[in-house]
Amino acid sequence: MVADIALPRLAKIGAGAITELGSVVAQLGIRRPVLVTDRYLDETGQAERLVKILQAEGADTAVFSGAVPDPTASSLTAGLDVVRGHDADGVIGFGGGSPMDTAKALAVLSANGGSISEYRAPGSYAGPALPVVAVPTTAGSGSDSTQFTVITDDETDEKMLCPGLSFLPIAIVVDFELTLSMPPRLTADTGVDALTHAIEAYVSRRASPFSDALALAAMTAISRHLRRAYADGADREARESMMLAATQAGMAFSNSSVALVHGMSRPIGGHFHVAHGLSNAMLLPAVTKFSVDAAVDRYADCAKAMGVVDDTTASRAAADALVDELTQLCADVEVPTPGSYGIDRAQWEDRLVTMADQALASGSPANNPRVPTHGEIVTLYREIFERP
């Protein structure tokens, strides 16, 4: 099998890397960027800090701070106006997954027009787009390193997966110091999100030795440091390891694929406005248990990389131990069920068929070691409602 590998052209990774954003943008020849961020990062002055760094290198920078959680197609309109009004020659995504996904979508739409729905899977877009520079502030989404963006359809509440090389950032600036103020809930949700990326990339039917190495490294780091970062947000070693692991996991699944967890997670977010990392966490133990018999050796490798068992443990025992560890991890970082999160059971039941339809239509479940039927997806949704 020939593996198709695509990565950002340039990366700055480490404490203080943000101070080099201006030189990165200048090196890429971007002179009129639009900084895409959210209201919080704008109002707290963090966006202004980046603007000053960019201005010091001669960049004429405009700011769009209207990125919203789980961006919708309609939320892109105001951003497009800013990008076109500024005559931008590049876009900088600054924040968690939502601002970065917004930036990617704006980069493609500003060069082509039309609707973001035209770029949804199973198509893959590699045409004209503005260059994107990604600056993540959470350790989880991996959007800084992937050739995907996820935008919600306003009319159907479907989270549309939009893939292709044109959505891949050309450069990334990954500074773990930006994550030191993350609250415990966000730390947990984004951390389990990154772990999900790594595990799904490794067990995916589209995995390769290249993506395997990144995925296993990410699993090792997350298993050692997520609980620490959750317990103490000022733990610099834990924060640094989680930030690097999130980037590695993003690179892994961008060059492999995600699978059933993500396929089922997007509809939960779209219909019930649950943050993406949290909906992944709600699903990860149950979906792993559902899938494990179809790839016992691969799941055993995950358990060994995470230090759940030692290298001498038989594959079956190791794979079973992985399911137990994922259940315990989600309990330790207090991941709620959909029911305890506050979702109404009747509304959940009413949307199960539609959510299963949307999960299958995304294509992600087809990458899973055990490819589910529609009915099995509905059963899994019911199973997770009140228990991890």
Side-chain angles (χ1 to χ4, degrees):
M1 180 186 75
V2 175
D4 294 323
I5 307 300
L7 299 167
R9 183 186 304 174
L10 175 63
K12 297 283 187 180
I13 300 175
I18 193 63
T19 62
E20 300 189 33
L21 175 62
S23 63
V24 167
V25 168
Q27 184 177 345
L28 295 172
I30 299 172
R31 295 291 179 262
R32 297 183 60 81
V34 169
L35 182 70
V36 177
T37 190
D38 58 32
R39 180 182 298 178
Y40 172 79
L41 292 172
D42 188 29
E43 292 179 347
T44 56
Q46 296 184 65
E48 180 61 24
R49 178 190 177 198
L50 266 62
V51 170
K52 291 178 179 178
I53 291 171
L54 292 161
Q55 288 176 336
E57 293 289 339
D60 182 1
T61 307
V63 176
F64 171 64
S65 60
V68 297
D70 298 317
T72 62
S74 63
S75 75
L76 302 175
T77 302
L80 277 172
D81 289 342
V82 173
V83 172
R84 289 169 174 160
H86 188 59
D87 193 23
D89 58 359
V91 181
I92 301 169
F94 175 50
S98 294
M100 288 189 287
D101 279 1
T102 298
K104 293 178 180 185
L106 295 177
V108 168
L109 291 178
S110 63
N112 300 280
S115 167
I116 192 64
S117 63
E118 298 170 25
Y119 301 91
R120 68 198 299 176
S124 181
Y125 179 69
L130 293 178
V132 177
V133 177
V135 184
T137 61
T138 63
S141 78
S143 185
D144 52 290
S145 302
T146 72
Q147 50 188 312
F148 308 108
T149 193
V150 179
I151 306 294
T152 299
D153 185 311
D154 297 88
E155 296 182 0
T156 65
D157 286 331
E158 178 186 357
K159 281 195 170 186
M160 299 177 290
L161 176 66
C162 303
L165 289 174
S166 298
F167 293 105
L168 178 68
I170 194 171
I172 59 175
V173 177
V174 182
D175 187 338
F176 78 88
E177 292 184 333
L178 296 173
T179 70
L180 292 173
S181 62
M182 286 172 60
R185 180 74 268 140
L186 185 59
T187 298
D189 296 345
T190 55
V192 179
D193 190 19
L195 180 60
T196 305
H197 295 154
I199 291 174
E200 292 209 303
Y202 190 77
V203 303
S204 166
R205 291 169 177 262
R206 298 172 59 186
S208 72
F210 181 88
S211 60
D212 285 352
L214 289 164
L216 290 170
M219 284 182 237
T220 298
I222 294 167
S223 66
R224 292 175 180 172
H225 297 101
L226 175 54
R227 288 179 174 93
R228 282 174 53 182
Y230 178 72
D232 179 9
D235 185 333
R236 291 177 63 87
E237 181 183 9
R239 289 295 197 191
E240 183 170 21
S241 294
M242 287 300 301
M243 193 66 152
L244 177 59
T247 296
Q248 290 172 320
M251 291 178 175
F253 87 79
S254 182
N255 290 287
S256 173
S257 64
V258 288
L260 180 56
V261 173
H262 277 73
M264 292 180 64
S265 174
R266 295 186 202 102
I268 295 175
H271 288 276
F272 297 102
H273 308 292
V274 178
H276 174 69
L278 178 54
S279 56
N280 276 348
M282 290 173 172
L283 286 157
L284 180 59
V287 171
T288 302
K289 183 178 181 180
F290 168 84
S291 307
V292 72
D293 286 346
V296 172
D297 289 342
R298 299 294 278 185
Y299 282 110
D301 290 344
C302 297
K304 293 171 183 178
M306 293 172 63
V308 178
V309 297
D310 62 37
D311 289 340
T312 65
T313 304
S315 291
R316 178 76 257 177
D320 290 342
L322 175 67
V323 175
D324 292 341
E325 165 60 11
L326 296 178
T327 302
Q328 186 61 53
L329 174 63
C330 288
D332 289 347
V333 298
E334 301 178 273
V335 174
T337 64
S340 64
Y341 183 76
I343 295 173
D344 178 75
R345 182 184 287 275
Q347 291 184 357
W348 182 262
E349 285 289 331
D350 285 346
R351 301 189 188 189
L352 291 187
V353 170
T354 298
M355 291 199 298
D357 289 341
Q358 292 174 345
L360 286 171
S362 74
S364 297
N367 302 320
N368 206 58
R370 178 181 173 185
V371 178
T373 64
H374 186 278
E376 287 170 332
I377 291 177
V378 169
T379 297
L380 281 167
Y381 276 135
R382 286 198 173 109
E383 180 182 331
I384 70 161
F385 186 79
E386 289 292 0
R387 63 182 178 132

